[in-house]
Amino acid sequence: MLTQAQNKLLTETDPGTPCGEFMRRYWQPVALSAELQLDTPLPVRVMNENLVLFCDPDGKPGLIERRCPHRGMDLSYGRLEPGGLRCLYHGWLFAKTGQCLEQPNEPAASTFKDRIRHRGYPCTEAGGLVLAYMGPGTPPPLPKIPFLLADASHSSVTKRYHECNFVQANDIDPSHLSYLHLLFDSQLAIGPSNQYMLQDAAPQTLCEETPFGLRAYSVRTLENGESYVRLTNFIMPSMQAFVGAPIFNPRERRPNDDDGYSLHWHVPIDDEHHWKYVIHYSAVGPIDHAYQDAIQSNEVDDQLRPIRTAANRYLQDRQEMKTQTFSGIGRSFQDQDRMAVESQGPIYDRSFEHLGVADRPMIEQRKIMFRGIDDVQAGRDPIIVRDDGTNPFDELVTRSARIGPGLPVEGFWRGTVELVTP
């Protein structure tokens, strides 16, 4: 368990807070590229800051503080003009850097505008996301995560609104797969992993630190003595990558770990809400967008807000729990996970938790985050941002495999262990 002081340190992301300063050393998603419109500013809230996202005449994104520094009007209602974003109240015009360019209600000879520098953050687009750097100094290079380097056609990108703190993400928790996501109806399951989760609900967990964060192994012993091993990666500051939903329609193409992976990127809105950006990445060519859209349909409304919420008790179906799913929350792992983390409350008090052997990946993840917070407080760059001339993602691997009885599992993905043929 954590102390209340440690929990506070880990969960607060306002400007000036230790975790807030740590998170701001990394590029963070602030919107989907699909949300960015050439003719309409978009209000966004990121790490307790109210901002407005808009396009310049060249279609490049800009992100500035939402309240006009003159009289506080909301700039998301402003006019998009060739120079930038103009406030409707008195006509002040702002560039995407935050620099005030015009003050038509001031005398023509006034230099007042030159002294007004509104808060603005560098932005870029990559992998279907609009990303911003909200920290001090020169932005670091974009992280070399494969989906950010590939053409946007290689990724399916969406997001899920969560009414809880971003640290409550459970993606690196291995043992919940044997319960929360369990399917009783074999026709609902895609691939054999559901049966593997049934055979061993108490996986052995192994962890190793990496240049990007943490690699966790969950090892389940199967009925025939083989081991089923699944890798999950924690990527600083708030991402997880793993073998997830099939990249292509499994009825048309057999799922293969080398095809790609799923990645979840948890970004605070404020301390009690966050967006989970859900990325499915294809390493072998354009992704099957029609299939991805189909499996995600009926989960959210046209504002990307979930249909199942705490207000309607996530539409839990007790009859479904008897014959189809363990949770009764439908087939969507996204909905099931969100119910689990939101039900902990807006900010879970970790001084009450009791962690066991199966929780080692979460324990190690928190240690790495605390170390990153300490690095920033001491004036050092945290990992990934730190430039040592290498690519921290060279060994970002998402794999699952069956391994013969008695064989070692650590490093199996390097090809040092002969895998059991499916």
Side-chain angles (χ1 to χ4, degrees):
M1 66 179 68
L2 301 182
T3 66
Q4 289 187 347
Q6 288 174 318
N7 199 55
K8 180 181 175 71
L9 180 65
L10 197 63
T11 57
E12 294 185 349
T13 59
D14 280 80
T17 61
C19 188
E21 293 305 303
F22 158 69
M23 294 287 284
R24 284 169 173 78
R25 293 307 194 274
Y26 295 86
W27 287 92
Q28 297 280 2
V30 295
L32 304 173
S33 289
E35 295 179 280
L36 188 61
Q37 300 182 48
L38 293 175
D39 59 353
T40 306
L42 178 70
V44 297
R45 181 167 169 81
V46 185
M47 293 186 286
N48 296 283
E49 295 189 45
N50 292 319
L51 308 166
V52 57
L53 180 67
F54 62 98
C55 285
D56 68 13
D58 296 324
K60 303 297 184 182
L63 184 70
I64 65 175
E65 189 172 345
R66 197 185 308 171
R67 297 295 175 188
C68 179
H70 178 214
R71 297 280 298 279
M73 183 182 160
D74 187 335
L75 290 172
S76 69
Y77 294 102
R79 293 173 59 91
L80 286 171
E81 299 189 1
L85 182 61
R86 190 179 296 277
C87 181
L88 297 184
Y89 203 1
H90 299 91
W92 286 22
L93 180 68
F94 297 93
K96 65 181 183 180
T97 61
Q99 178 64 53
C100 185
L101 302 176
E102 295 179 6
Q103 295 172 335
N105 64 330
E106 290 290 308
S110 172
T111 60
F112 183 30
K113 65 177 175 55
D114 301 326
R115 302 194 296 274
I116 300 296
R117 185 63 181 265
H118 205 33
R119 186 182 305 164
Y121 295 120
C123 289
T124 191
E125 286 191 80
L129 298 174
V130 182
L131 302 113
Y133 176 70
M134 298 172 63
T138 302
L142 277 180
K144 295 180 180 179
I145 307 173
F147 92 91
L148 289 178
L149 302 179
D151 188 88
S153 65
H154 288 230
S155 299
S156 167
V157 184
T158 185
K159 63 182 184 179
R160 296 289 184 273
Y161 179 74
H162 282 57
E163 295 188 341
C164 66
N165 186 265
F166 80 107
V167 180
Q168 282 160 228
N170 68 347
D171 306 293
I172 202 167
D173 171 4
S175 60
H176 87 282
L177 297 173
S178 292
Y179 292 95
L180 181 63
H181 300 317
L182 193 61
L183 302 172
F184 298 138
D185 185 343
S186 60
Q187 292 185 348
L188 299 179
I190 299 174
S193 62
N194 187 65
Q195 291 301 312
Y196 300 156
M197 303 302 171
L198 269 172
Q199 292 180 38
D200 187 354
Q204 179 188 12
T205 56
L206 307 169
C207 298
E208 55 190 22
E209 291 195 17
T210 68
F212 56 76
L214 180 73
R215 180 182 297 114
Y217 298 73
S218 61
V219 186
R220 287 176 164 82
T221 302
L222 304 183
E223 292 170 349
N224 61 3
E226 295 173 359
S227 296
Y228 173 66
V229 188
R230 184 175 184 270
L231 297 181
T232 304
N233 304 277
F234 167 64
I235 303 170
M236 286 274 265
S238 56
M239 288 176 270
Q240 296 82 23
F242 48 89
V243 177
I247 302 301
F248 305 99
N249 189 334
R251 293 186 177 88
E252 300 175 1
R253 176 173 177 159
R254 182 176 178 177
N256 185 326
D257 287 354
D258 293 331
D259 284 349
Y261 55 79
S262 295
L263 186 144
H264 293 166
W265 196 334
H266 298 263
V267 181
I269 298 170
D270 52 39
D271 295 342
E272 297 187 350
H273 306 82
H274 77 272
W275 286 108
K276 177 167 78 171
Y277 287 83
V278 180
I279 297 104
H280 300 299
Y281 164 67
S282 166
V284 292
I287 202 166
D288 187 342
H289 283 94
Y291 174 71
Q292 294 297 325
D293 291 345
I295 64 174
Q296 296 172 37
S297 63
N298 302 318
E299 293 182 14
V300 296
D301 62 19
D302 57 3
Q303 299 298 312
L304 298 176
R305 299 300 176 105
I307 304 299
R308 297 175 185 263
T309 67
N312 60 30
R313 294 193 60 81
Y314 303 94
L315 302 176
Q316 187 180 42
D317 185 333
R318 292 282 163 174
Q319 188 60 40
E320 176 189 306
M321 294 173 74
K322 297 176 182 178
T323 59
Q324 293 187 302
T325 71
F326 184 84
S327 67
I329 311 291
R331 295 173 54 182
S332 168
F333 284 16
Q334 303 294 342
D335 286 335
Q336 295 163 6
D337 281 331
R338 190 166 42 76
M339 178 276 294
V341 298
E342 288 184 345
S343 67
Q344 298 169 22
I347 304 177
Y348 178 54
D349 184 351
R350 291 169 182 80
S351 66
F352 286 97
E353 69 184 356
H354 297 78
L355 301 183
V357 172
D359 301 307
R360 185 182 173 195
M362 283 76 71
I363 295 170
E364 297 301 320
Q365 173 187 330
R366 293 174 191 176
K367 289 179 181 178
I368 293 171
M369 291 182 69
F370 280 129
R371 196 180 309 150
I373 292 171
D374 288 342
D375 282 338
V376 172
Q377 291 297 293
R380 300 184 296 266
D381 286 333
I383 62 171
I384 297 178
V385 175
R386 190 182 306 150
D387 184 9
D388 60 4
T390 64
N391 178 7
F393 300 100
D394 280 342
E395 291 193 344
L396 174 61
V397 179
T398 59
R399 293 293 301 276
S400 62
R402 281 164 44 210
I403 296 175
L407 295 178
V409 298
E410 289 185 279
F412 77 89
W413 49 273
R414 296 182 186 273
T416 56
V417 177
E418 185 175 351
L419 305 183
V420 176
T421 302

